[in-house]
Amino acid sequence: LFLRFTKDTARFKDELDIMKFVCKDFWTTVFKKQIDNLRTNHQGIYVLQDNKFRLLTQMSAGKQYLEHAPKYLAFTCGLIRGGLSNLGIKSIVTAEVSSMPACKFQVMIQKM
């Protein structure tokens, strides 16, 4: 999936460039919107925040579904991790939900 999206784009300068691609182009193609916020500590950790994550918007905003929300994020974590892997970046991707439908994905780049 990532390779198909990147075949017509210029090669990326660095991992921040790749993360920007994930937040803009890739997220828009998959979820019909861009990531709302991208943060980094410039040491290999990136936090992608989506304030209205498409896979959680159908669930109630009530607390009763909050415990089930991580199940809906596991697929997306794998999608991010696999895409980065195809671009030569090994990573660990985790997700958290504190209030639905907002969520954060943390990407830890694994140095080779």
Side-chain angles (χ1 to χ4, degrees):
L1 193 59
F2 266 59
L3 295 177
R4 186 172 47 192
F5 291 133
T6 61
K7 73 176 174 39
D8 296 327
T9 60
R11 287 289 148 220
F12 302 108
K13 293 184 303 210
D14 53 21
E15 66 188 32
L16 179 58
D17 226 19
I18 291 172
M19 294 308 295
K20 287 178 183 176
F21 164 79
V22 170
C23 294
K24 292 178 182 174
D25 303 309
F26 177 72
W27 215 259
T28 300
T29 301
V30 176
F31 299 110
K32 310 293 185 239
K33 67 182 280 299
Q34 290 185 9
I35 277 286
D36 295 303
N37 195 341
L38 169 65
R39 292 199 174 138
T40 180
N41 67 355
H42 299 286
Q43 295 176 0
I45 297 188
Y46 298 87
V47 177
L48 290 65
Q49 182 172 336
D50 192 326
N51 296 327
K52 196 171 180 189
F53 187 57
R54 195 173 193 92
L55 298 181
L56 296 179
T57 54
Q58 300 301 319
M59 299 173 82
S60 169
K63 295 260 188 230
Q64 72 267 29
Y65 295 111
L66 197 56
E67 67 184 81
H68 299 294
K71 296 175 196 167
Y72 291 88
L73 301 177
F75 173 75
T76 306
C77 287
L79 203 58
I80 296 168
R81 185 171 170 253
L84 291 172
S85 178
N86 279 330
L87 295 173
I89 294 179
K90 188 176 178 189
S91 63
I92 296 173
V93 182
T94 56
E96 68 177 60
V97 180
S98 50
S99 64
M100 294 204 303
C103 65
K104 291 180 182 177
F105 296 91
Q106 180 174 303
V107 179
M108 273 179 38
I109 304 298
Q110 305 283 261
K111 300 298 178 191
M112 301 289 177

